[in-house]
Amino acid sequence: MNSEKLEYFRGILQEEKRTLLEEAGRTVMEMNSDTTNFPDPTDRATQESDRTFELRIRDRERKLINKIQEALNRIDNGTFGICEVCEEDISEARLKARPVTTLCIDCKMEQEKKERFR
């Protein structure tokens, strides 16, 4: 992959990482500033449920941030866009759809087929 395309994907990944980190910061700020004490148990339960849901989302985003960092590292070491299984190039269309991917579409489909049979 040429350096122009690598920089394009680097930009996409860095922007996504920045957005996710901003969201995480906003969530922490909101949770720290929300000191509402609901006397009604139902309202308290709703608030706790909402917080739990928000934290689950942030945990998934944390995992995505790690994948983004790994993809940025692959750009730096020259392995970005190469399938980990068959070592063929991953299509540009697939990378645009999911820039953190490490598998070409054929290997990913094979992996999913094996997972279904387990």
Side-chain angles (χ1 to χ4, degrees), residues 1 6 10 69-85 87-90 95 99-103:
M1 185 175 299
L6 287 173
R10 182 188 306 275
Q69 189 57 53
E70 289 169 4
L72 290 168
N73 291 341
R74 286 193 305 276
I75 288 173
D76 291 339
N77 68 25
T79 59
F80 181 80
I82 299 171
C83 179
E84 288 182 341
V85 175
E87 297 182 357
E88 295 293 322
D89 288 343
I90 299 172
L95 289 170
V100 297
T101 191
T102 58
L103 301 175

Side-chain angles (χ1 to χ4, degrees), residues 45-69:
T46 299
Q47 181 188 35
E48 286 302 314
S49 176
D50 290 348
R51 281 186 174 188
T52 300
F53 181 71
E54 185 78 22
L55 290 172
R56 282 181 38 217
I57 289 171
R58 296 301 162 239
D59 186 53
R60 291 183 70 175
E61 289 175 349
R62 177 188 57 80
K63 292 174 184 175
L64 180 55
I65 289 170
N66 288 338
K67 288 181 180 183
I68 290 170
Q69 189 57 53

